[in-house]
Amino acid sequence: MPSRRLTLLAVVALGVSAGATTAFLLLPAPRDAAATGTATTTSTTPPWVFPHETRIGSTVVVPTGLQMEGPRVLLTYDLHPIAPLADLAATEHAPEWFPGAAPASFTLTYPGGSATARVLGPEGRAARFDLPAGISTAQVESISVDSFWVPVPAGYTISLSPSSGDWVAAAPGLQARIVRVVEQAGNRLVIVEWGGETALAGDLAIAGEGREWRVSSYAMMGGGQWTLDFRGEALPDPVRLVVRGVGWIEVPGGGPVDLEGIPR
Amino acid sequence: MNGDALREVLRSPLDDPAPPRRGGRAIGAVLLLAAAGGFGAVAGARALTGSESPATTEGTTTTIASPVTAATAVMGGVGVEAMAAWRQNGALFVVVSTAVLPGEDPETVTGVPSAHWALRLRGGDLLPAEAELTTILAPGMFTLQFRDADLSAGAELLAYPAEDVIERTFTTTRDSTRLPWEGPLDGDGGVLGMSYRLGGQEIAFHTTRLDDAGGELGWYLLGDSVARAVVDAGATYTEEDGRPQSIVPEARLPYAYLTAPPGSAPPARSGGLHLFHLDDAANPTFRSRFHGDPERVVAIRQLVLEVSVRLYRYSAAPAVIPLSLTVAGEG
């Protein structure tokens, strides 16, 4: 990631430098603005990564392309972290990690209308817009990020009842419940399932807390279930379990995507 | 805020009752990879600093752009912003995002300094965070857990950065002993089982147990209540006629993030560690936790127990992060 970012910065710097040099050589000398009375006001936020970026939380969105995909317009983009990462760089066996935010929804405007698009999940890097026939990428006027997902570090406990099987809030947009307890010779298997926006549960785990609990395992069968291995004498009711990993919460906001210069 | 007010903010329910002296259960597993997520990694807090971006000039009018939004504070050269909040099972969670300032390379910037976090509610009441949840999977992000509160207009998030951090490692060895082992470890260089002075504080270890499955360590601070600590521990030993063995906290199990992505309790006035026995000290692997028998008697040749303490003393002046969040309901 650092090399990619530094390379990008270097390319941008080279581009800016070359552009400035070219402009210096080819363009007429600027007039004194005060003398001509044509003062302009510009508000510029310096970029983190790229001039055409959109900041969402600790991430910037950089569009990479806008093209037709059958009848739809496809926007592709990269996400670049701007969170402090020096601590992570010093971590041995650092896993692949998530960006500090990821676009969740966009709005595209074209002459006479607009269209919205939902991204499939935080790992997505593309948005697809259904547009009326005849609208092409050249007619796209603007695109903006309307909302984005923010990762939610978990690590808190929830209490689930094996007897009632009631749903309990487990993360933003997610519930959990114990669907059944399987008695075995030397242990009990406690089966926990997710409910709600289960697409956001892929980076979360549920584990028992304490010495009586062994490894939790996950299975996609049945819509996503965790099997927890309990080796204690008596299973408590309710059972205190730990939600670990990363959940996601969608928040409004974002801002316009700068389409200038991207291939169409 | 004066010192008394800060002490009140930092006071926890755990400050009041005297912890058990012996045999009490540890309060819970304190997961110590906070540094991986950005907490506690900075030894010595950096002072709060303001920041301005370079001016950009075009024409005759210059606008100095703000690199951060109005809802962002700058702590230790890092922008800090509350991004989202939700309620769940009687608790309030606030998600905080950190970002480097424009022009900085994220790979060279360390996370925000350790801080004590609190909510200042509309009426002025202060509500300290009960937990800081971090994970290596989401660098620069953390979740603060509070008891449920009203975050309507005027609420603010306060961060009291650590003014200084003192780190000390205590090591004790015993040449011949047995597991399970409870009580003071007072062998050569022995340090556990009594109170120790540390930066004007006193830290006491009230529970020390090592056994075939792992063990427990319980501790608490005495003295100035504006200080908090994080305690880590680990033991190595050699069984009679056996191989070297190792006992570590859960968060230091190999590849712990795969099965137990570490959250972290914030620095506290008291706490406890659950220790786990590795199945192979020399070559630990994924799922290396050894499920031994806590009551099995094990004769050991040499035992080395290391306990490290990181003590934080907090500033009386907080960084203030305005809150303008819609709190999501129950998930």
Side-chain angles (χ1 to χ4, degrees):
Chain A
M1 192 61 80
S3 57
R4 189 166 71 177
R5 179 175 183 274
L6 289 174
T7 303
L8 191 52
L9 282 172
V11 168
V12 170
L14 279 173
V16 169
S17 173
T21 304
T22 306
F24 177 79
L25 294 173
L26 299 181
L27 297 179
R31 296 181 178 181
D32 185 302
T36 60
T38 57
T40 57
T41 300
T42 301
S43 176
T44 303
T45 299
W48 275 266
V49 175
F50 192 71
H52 303 296
E53 68 192 19
T54 303
R55 183 193 173 189
I56 51 173
S58 58
T59 300
V60 295
V61 183
V62 177
T64 56
L66 191 65
Q67 61 196 70
M68 299 305 295
E69 187 185 64
R72 296 184 297 187
V73 164
L74 174 70
L75 169 72
T76 54
Y77 52 87
D78 282 339
L79 301 180
H80 296 267
I82 57 172
L85 298 174
D87 304 322
L88 188 70
T91 304
E92 196 177 2
H93 305 306
E96 188 173 342
W97 36 270
F98 301 107
S105 64
F106 291 87
T107 294
L108 177 153
T109 63
Y110 55 87
S114 65
T116 59
R118 291 283 300 176
V119 182
L120 292 177
E123 69 285 352
R125 299 292 181 271
R128 291 170 171 81
F129 301 88
D130 289 313
L131 301 181
I135 300 292
S136 69
T137 56
Q139 294 166 281
V140 173
E141 294 175 334
S142 68
I143 296 179
S144 63
V145 179
D146 295 336
S147 64
F148 54 95
W149 286 293
V150 173
V152 175
Y156 44 78
T157 58
I158 57 174
S159 296
L160 302 183
S161 170
S163 58
S164 73
D166 289 343
W167 289 105
V168 169
L174 284 169
Q175 300 88 41
R177 68 170 178 173
I178 294 175
V179 283
R180 63 184 173 279
V181 176
V182 179
E183 301 277 349
Q184 301 198 131
N187 66 334
R188 293 178 180 83
L189 299 179
V190 178
I191 315 296
V192 179
E193 74 172 349
W194 294 117
E197 298 178 58
T198 53
L200 300 178
D203 306 312
L204 284 172
I206 291 184
E209 189 178 40
R211 299 180 179 285
E212 297 88 353
W213 296 91
R214 301 210 175 173
V215 174
S216 301
S217 57
Y218 180 73
M220 293 294 290
M221 294 174 63
Q225 294 184 340
W226 282 92
T227 299
L228 283 58
D229 184 356
F230 180 76
R231 300 294 176 111
E233 291 294 322
L235 185 67
D237 190 356
V239 177
R240 281 174 63 82
L241 302 173
V242 187
V243 178
R244 289 167 159 157
V246 173
W248 296 89
I249 188 169
E250 186 174 344
V251 298
V257 176
D258 188 348
L259 301 177
E260 186 176 338
I262 67 167
R264 298 197 189 197
Chain B
M1 172 172 284
N2 60 33
D4 289 342
L6 176 61
R7 283 182 180 81
E8 182 58 27
V9 174
L10 294 174
R11 197 176 70 84
S12 107
L14 295 174
D15 293 342
D16 297 328
R21 283 283 168 185
R22 182 69 58 86
R25 301 285 298 178
I27 292 169
V30 179
L31 304 175
L32 291 170
L33 280 189
F39 276 91
V42 180
R46 290 172 285 181
L48 291 177
T49 56
S51 179
E52 283 188 346
S53 66
T56 300
T57 303
E58 184 173 312
T60 59
T61 305
T62 298
T63 300
I64 298 174
S66 169
V68 292
T69 68
T72 303
V74 178
M75 294 178 62
V78 175
V80 182
E81 184 175 4
M83 298 296 298
W86 87 98
R87 288 193 173 85
Q88 182 174 291
N89 305 324
L92 174 69
F93 296 89
V94 177
V95 185
V96 180
S97 168
T98 63
V100 302
L101 303 181
E104 300 261 4
D105 181 356
E107 298 273 350
T108 65
V109 179
T110 54
V112 291
S114 174
H116 180 80
W117 297 86
L119 285 175
R120 181 156 59 201
L121 304 176
R122 185 169 54 176
D125 290 344
L126 293 170
L127 189 63
E130 295 180 341
E132 299 165 2
L133 308 172
T134 68
T135 168
I136 196 170
L137 299 175
M141 305 293 299
F142 54 95
T143 304
L144 299 172
Q145 180 176 346
F146 300 90
R147 65 177 166 81
D148 198 4
D150 178 11
L151 280 193
S152 54
E156 296 170 315
L157 182 61
L158 308 182
Y160 297 86
E163 283 190 322
D164 61 59
V165 185
I166 300 170
E167 294 188 75
R168 180 84 56 85
T169 297
F170 303 103
T171 304
T172 188
T173 61
R174 287 177 74 92
D175 288 335
S176 179
T177 189
R178 303 193 306 177
L179 300 183
W181 199 93
E182 276 193 79
L185 267 172
D186 52 359
D188 292 341
V191 291
L192 297 181
M194 59 176 70
S195 299
Y196 304 93
R197 300 295 299 177
L198 191 66
Q201 289 287 298
E202 199 171 340
I203 185 165
F205 299 95
H206 60 81
T207 301
T208 308
R209 177 188 168 92
L210 297 173
D211 58 48
D212 188 42
E216 294 178 68
L217 185 78
W219 60 273
Y220 61 95
L221 291 176
L222 299 166
D224 184 358
S225 64
V226 299
R228 300 276 164 134
V230 170
V231 174
D232 192 10
T236 57
Y237 63 89
T238 304
E239 284 187 44
E240 294 284 357
D241 307 322
R243 294 179 304 174
Q245 304 287 337
S246 183
I247 290 174
V248 297
E250 183 180 26
R252 282 205 276 135
L253 291 171
Y255 302 94
Y257 61 84
L258 290 175
T259 52
S264 70
R269 296 289 299 169
S270 61
L273 289 172
H274 280 177
L275 303 171
F276 292 90
H277 190 166
L278 294 181
D279 61 352
D280 186 336
N283 298 295
T285 61
F286 174 51
R287 294 185 175 175
S288 271
R289 175 180 160 188
F290 173 64
H291 298 275
D293 176 2
E295 302 308 319
R296 186 171 82 93
V297 175
V298 182
I300 59 180
R301 282 207 299 269
Q302 186 186 55
L303 171 72
V304 178
L305 174 64
E306 279 194 356
V307 178
S308 64
V309 179
R310 185 181 293 147
L311 183 81
Y312 299 87
R313 290 188 292 198
Y314 295 102
S315 164
V320 179
I321 301 155
L323 292 176
S324 179
L325 300 173
T326 300
V327 181
E330 300 268 314

